[in-house]
């Protein structure tokens, strides 16, 4: 199962489908083939593994999968049926499929006489697809809001300059986390003022997985903007409504969104209760002035404050990363 989890991590994060890995064993317990899901519309992990062996080779064998084999016919057929037809005798999976449209594979397998075991490394498997499963439950993409600020809560100097408040280790961490999301959002103000590329990079090299760039607001993005050269097509959402922005992200096939700013957009999502995780990178500096990380959150009295539960504090070079989530979710 650990190997299956490693394989699953090769799949795209933030995709419409979960990341799934499969190890296929023969009747003697030797590895026959490995497979993983590469994204919506491609073969599922079990089908990928089965496609790598001759017909009949899996008969009497075992499939070890990170997620319950699906029992749904969409762009691909049900994996539960494919395993039955391949003659697999035993299926071990880490966790049940939380998607009611795809669940039920375990029942089909048992009805066909296949031995089924579940719960192996279930916590690790759940963590792998946490945002995808949460998006199912929420009915919208998972939202991570990120900002970098001075210790006094400023995201820029009074003239608007902000490069760099944090150091290279913190910036590298941001790029890694960008790549874990299906979309990356900024407001038109940030797009026009900063001309960000919104790519996920390792130094000067693009990471293999890129979030789709999304600009939210009513103004146009110039044809020469850096966003226009992003590896993924730009999605322009002509609205200031966070819910409409998330609906467009979902329609584009992403189940998670990385909210980069600026303060107006981030605050709108926070005020609407649409942020599931907050990443605050704190640089050891003081800026003063009025360029705050957030603006109006609808807090009029201390009783309205939006409490967060700190999940982690990480030292990144000279900087600190605070990871927090809405306290009511704890």
């Amino acid at each position: 199962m650990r190997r299956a989890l490693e394989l699953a991590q090769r799949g795209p994060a933030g995709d419409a489908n979960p990341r799934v890995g499969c190890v296929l064993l023969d009747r003697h317990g030797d590895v026959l083939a490995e497979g993983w899901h590469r994204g919506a519309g491609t073969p599922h992990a079990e089908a990928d593994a089965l496609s790598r062996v001759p017909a009949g080779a899996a008969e009497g064998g075992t499939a070890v999968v990170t997620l319950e084999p699906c029992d749904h016919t969409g762009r691909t057929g049900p994996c539960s049926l494919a395993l039955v037809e391949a003659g697999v005798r035993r299926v071990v999976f880490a966790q049940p499929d939380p998607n009611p449209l795809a669940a039920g594979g375990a029942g089909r397998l048992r009805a066909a006489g296949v031995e089924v075991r579940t719960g192996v490394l279930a916590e690790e498997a759940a963590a792998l697809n946490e945002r995808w499963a949460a998006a199912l439950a929420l009915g919208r993409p998972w939202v991570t809001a990120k900002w970098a600020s001075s210790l006094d809560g400023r995201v820029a100097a009074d003239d608007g300059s902000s490069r760099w408040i944090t150091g290279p280790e913190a910036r590298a961490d941001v790029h890694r986390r960008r790549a874990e999301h299906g979309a990356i959002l900024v407001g038109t103000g940030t797009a026009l003022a900063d001309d960000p590329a919104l790519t996920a990079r390792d130094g000067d090299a693009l990471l293999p997985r890129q979030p789709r760039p999304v600009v939210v607001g009513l103004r146009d993005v110039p044809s020469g903007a850096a966003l226009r050269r992003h590896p993924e097509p730009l999605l322009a959402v002509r609205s200031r409504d966070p819910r409409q922005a998330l609906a467009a992200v979902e329609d584009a096939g992403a189940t998670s969104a990385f909210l980069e700013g600026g303060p107006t957009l981030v605050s709108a999502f926070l005020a609407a209760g649409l942020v599931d995780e907050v990443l605050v990178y704190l640089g050891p500096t003081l800026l003063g002035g009025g360029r705050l990380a957030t603006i109006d959150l609808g807090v009029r009295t201390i009783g309205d404050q939006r409490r967060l539960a700190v999940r982690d504090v990480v030292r990144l070079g000279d900087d600190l990363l605070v990871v927090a989530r809405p306290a009511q979710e704890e």
Side-chain angles (χ1 to χ4, degrees):
M1 186 63 78
R2 291 199 184 281
R3 176 56 180 164
L5 287 167
E6 291 175 0
L7 294 167
Q9 290 174 1
R10 298 181 183 182
D15 190 70
N17 287 354
R19 294 187 285 179
V20 183
C22 174
V23 177
L24 198 61
L25 309 175
D26 65 17
R27 64 178 69 232
H28 305 295
D30 296 323
V31 175
L32 271 175
E34 298 178 336
W36 67 93
H37 185 50
R38 291 165 175 78
T42 66
H44 291 186
E46 302 94 320
D48 184 42
L50 287 169
S51 72
R52 299 173 188 275
V53 300
E59 189 169 346
T62 298
V64 181
V65 195
T66 58
L67 189 67
E68 177 186 11
C70 71
D71 200 47
H72 170 68
T73 300
R75 283 184 279 186
T76 59
C79 292
S80 55
L81 180 59
L83 292 169
V84 169
E85 292 178 342
V88 170
R89 178 187 59 84
R90 186 168 179 257
V91 174
V92 180
F93 62 87
Q95 63 168 153
D97 194 328
N99 185 352
L101 294 177
R108 183 194 288 265
L109 291 166
R110 291 190 178 101
V114 177
E115 179 187 345
V116 175
R117 182 186 175 193
T118 185
V120 179
L121 300 184
E123 291 186 4
E124 289 91 335
L128 181 70
N129 288 307
E130 179 190 22
R131 297 189 189 102
W132 171 81
L136 276 178
L138 292 166
R140 60 163 175 80
W142 168 282
V143 177
T144 300
K146 163 263 169 184
W147 61 82
S149 75
S150 61
L151 290 181
D152 56 350
R154 271 62 178 180
V155 295
D158 264 349
D159 66 354
S161 59
S162 60
R163 296 183 180 181
W164 297 103
I165 291 174
T166 55
E169 294 90 344
R171 297 197 295 274
D173 189 75
V174 170
H175 283 277
R176 178 181 65 80
R177 292 176 186 270
R178 282 179 176 181
E180 294 175 350
H181 291 72
I184 182 167
L185 278 66
V186 294
T188 51
T190 296
L192 295 172
D194 296 345
D195 192 27
L198 297 187
T199 51
R201 301 184 303 277
D202 181 4
D204 293 330
L206 292 175
L207 292 173
R209 301 173 192 157
Q210 292 292 323
R212 182 167 183 181
V214 181
V215 176
V216 182
L218 303 181
R219 288 180 285 177
D220 292 328
V221 177
S223 59
L227 282 170
R228 300 285 188 184
R229 300 187 294 275
H230 195 284
E232 296 294 323
L234 173 65
L235 174 61
V237 181
R238 295 280 187 166
S239 173
R240 293 193 180 103
D241 185 336
R243 294 187 185 278
Q244 290 183 12
L246 288 182
V249 168
E250 185 175 29
D251 288 344
T255 54
S256 61
F258 196 71
L259 198 59
E260 280 268 357
T264 300
L265 185 69
V266 169
S267 298
F269 273 79
L270 286 167
L274 294 175
V275 173
D276 306 295
E277 184 171 69
V278 174
L279 307 176
V280 182
Y281 294 84
L282 293 170
T285 188
L286 303 172
L287 292 175
R291 302 272 185 166
L292 297 171
T294 61
I295 50 176
D296 185 10
L297 300 181
V299 176
R300 300 293 175 259
T301 179
I302 197 65
D304 298 334
Q305 64 182 295
R306 296 176 180 269
R307 299 289 301 179
L308 300 174
V310 174
R311 298 290 294 263
D312 201 4
V313 178
V314 184
R315 181 75 179 260
L316 298 168
D318 292 331
D319 306 313
L320 290 177
L321 166 63
V322 179
V323 182
R325 293 183 180 179
Q328 64 268 24
E329 294 184 5
E330 296 298 307

